[in-house]
Amino acid sequence: MNFLPYYCTMKKINLLFAFILTFTLNGFSQITVVKDGRIDELIKKQSEIIPPATSLEIPGYRLQLTFESSRSDLDNARSRFIAQYPKIDTYVSFSAPYYFLKVGDFRSHLEAEKIKSEISAQFPTCMIIKEQINLPRIDQ
């Protein structure tokens, strides 16, 4: 007895049944996805291209000359420093309730110590602070 024709016919019937069952189930099963709108915002934020920083920063030192609660007093101290050292950059920051005057972009503690010793008479509260600095100027 040859069962091959019977086997091929049953295989075709099973395949046809599976095909019909698949499309029937897909037609009846509808899935509704409800998502939070914040997901789209996160996807948009993650896909933004962030340009590289234009100013390179390195670990270094700055001198904190003074801190004042009055901006005008701080500006006076800044102008006195700029008159003496016009090529050294100055930075003003605010952390309530004080304004801080920091100067310089020193790569080493020794460089900062040199300027500190020169200005300690005019700025007795001067101290060396370790923080991220801009690349120092070449023309200093």
Side-chain angles (χ1 to χ4, degrees):
M1 298 211 61
N2 192 357
F3 290 105
L4 189 59
Y6 176 72
Y7 176 73
C8 290
T9 307
M10 286 303 290
K11 190 174 181 182
K12 288 180 185 177
I13 291 174
N14 285 339
L15 187 62
L16 180 63
F17 179 71
F19 184 72
I20 291 171
L21 185 62
T22 303
F23 279 108
T24 304
L25 291 177
N26 283 341
F28 291 117
S29 62
Q30 293 182 356
I31 299 172
T32 304
V33 177
V34 178
K35 67 177 181 175
D36 193 346
R38 295 177 289 180
I39 293 173
D40 290 331
E41 293 174 20
L42 284 173
I43 292 171
K44 183 179 177 185
K45 184 177 180 181
Q46 291 294 325
S47 65
E48 289 178 357
I49 298 173
I50 301 171
T54 56
S55 67
L56 297 176
E57 291 187 338
I58 58 172
Y61 299 91
R62 287 200 173 124
L63 294 177
Q64 180 178 306
L65 297 186
T66 186
F67 61 96
E68 303 285 343
S69 57
S70 166
R71 177 70 190 237
S72 61
D73 292 341
L74 188 98
D75 288 338
N76 290 337
R78 182 178 182 206
S79 61
R80 282 188 293 137
F81 180 81
I82 290 174
Q84 192 173 2
Y85 296 96
K87 291 188 177 184
I88 297 179
D89 294 327
T90 60
Y91 303 94
V92 175
S93 61
F94 178 74
S95 180
Y98 296 108
Y99 292 95
F100 294 89
L101 176 61
K102 298 177 186 173
V103 299
D105 291 311
F106 306 110
R107 289 173 289 197
S108 69
H109 195 274
L110 189 61
E111 289 178 53
E113 190 66 46
K114 178 184 173 199
I115 301 296
K116 181 184 175 191
S117 66
E118 293 176 11
I119 63 171
S120 62
Q122 293 98 8
F123 300 98
T125 60
C126 177
M127 67 178 80
I128 298 173
I129 296 177
K130 185 175 181 117
E131 61 182 40
Q132 291 295 107
I133 62 168
N134 299 324
L135 290 174
R137 290 185 187 184
I138 296 174
D139 63 342
Q140 283 186 344

